[in-house]
């Protein structure tokens, strides 16, 4: 069950995910720095990191949905986990996009509390989405192992493959 969206022999989705994940996580760090220092440059940087992270997140999501649609067998645990992974990460993108929109009208990109809360919720949801993605790759072998185990038990259960 290797990924159909490949480049130079590797699945594209796991390669791309580091970019939106890094950008969006770093934006939250810059928001915290802005709260501590009140420096406008931190707020400005956070807003632009959010925009870049959401845009790259959409591109990354397309590759993930293609793999889910083309590779993961229907009726399997992997298909259910993949759907949940995609929906959670779509919610992450919506939360960060909302945060960005709320920053548009702000004076000098200073984030409002609703913008900050949307980003923080997006970061928390991103942790869950990342764990689900790890479950797909590390436990079930989706997109990386030809003879994947799409119905393996959860990594949280005491039973192993």
């Amino acid at each position: 069950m290797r990924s159909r969206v490949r480049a130079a022999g590797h699945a594209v989705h796991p390669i791309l995910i580091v970019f939106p994940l890094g950008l969006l996580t770093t934006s939250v760090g810059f928001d915290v720095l802005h709260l501590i220092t009140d420096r406008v440059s931190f707020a400005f940087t956070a807003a632009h990191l959010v925009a870049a992270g959401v845009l790259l997140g959409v591109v990354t999501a397309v590759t993930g949905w293609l793999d889910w649609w083309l590779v993961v067998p229907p009726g399997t645990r992997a298909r259910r986990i993949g759907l949940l992974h995609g929906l959670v990460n779509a919610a992450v993108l919506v939360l960060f996009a909302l945060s960005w929109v709320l920053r548009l009208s702000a004076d000098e990109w200073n984030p409002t509390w609703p913008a900050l809360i949307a980003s923080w919720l997006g970061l928390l949801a991103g942790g869950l989405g990342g764990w689900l993605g790890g479950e797909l790759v590390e436990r079930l072998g989706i997109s990386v192992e030809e003879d994947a185990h799409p119905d393996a038990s959860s990594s949280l259960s005491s039973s192993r493959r």
Side-chain angles (χ1 to χ4, degrees), residues 1 23 28 52 86 145:
M1 259 174 254
L23 290 164
V28 172
E145 291 183 28

Side-chain angles (χ1 to χ4, degrees), residues 6-10:
R6 301 181 73 75
H10 293 281

Side-chain angles (χ1 to χ4, degrees), residues 8-145:
H10 293 281
V12 172
H13 183 70
I15 294 169
L16 291 180
I17 193 59
V18 299
F19 297 105
L21 182 63
L23 290 164
L24 296 173
T25 301
T26 304
S27 75
V28 172
F30 272 87
D31 279 336
V32 170
L33 288 171
H34 171 70
L35 289 173
I36 293 169
T37 66
D38 203 32
R39 290 186 58 187
V40 174
S41 60
F42 289 138
F44 179 83
T45 302
H48 287 79
L49 288 169
V50 169
V54 169
L55 291 173
L56 283 170
V58 170
V59 172
T60 301
V62 168
T63 64
W65 285 111
L66 283 170
D67 275 346
W68 181 79
W69 192 258
L70 298 172
V71 176
V72 183
T76 61
R77 180 170 177 270
R79 186 75 166 205
R80 293 186 303 275
I81 296 291
L83 177 61
L84 185 57
H85 168 70
L87 293 174
V88 167
N89 285 323
V92 168
L93 292 178
V94 167
L95 285 164
F96 274 101
L98 173 63
S99 177
W100 189 77
V101 167
L102 292 170
R103 294 165 194 257
L104 282 175
S105 61
D107 180 39
E108 295 183 334
W109 294 99
N110 287 318
T112 61
W113 280 106
L116 291 172
I117 290 168
S119 287
W120 296 340
L121 290 174
L123 182 67
L124 289 173
L128 173 60
W131 185 87
L132 291 166
E135 185 77 356
L136 285 167
V137 173
E138 297 294 327
R139 180 75 175 152
L140 304 175
I142 300 302
S143 136
V144 295
E145 291 183 28

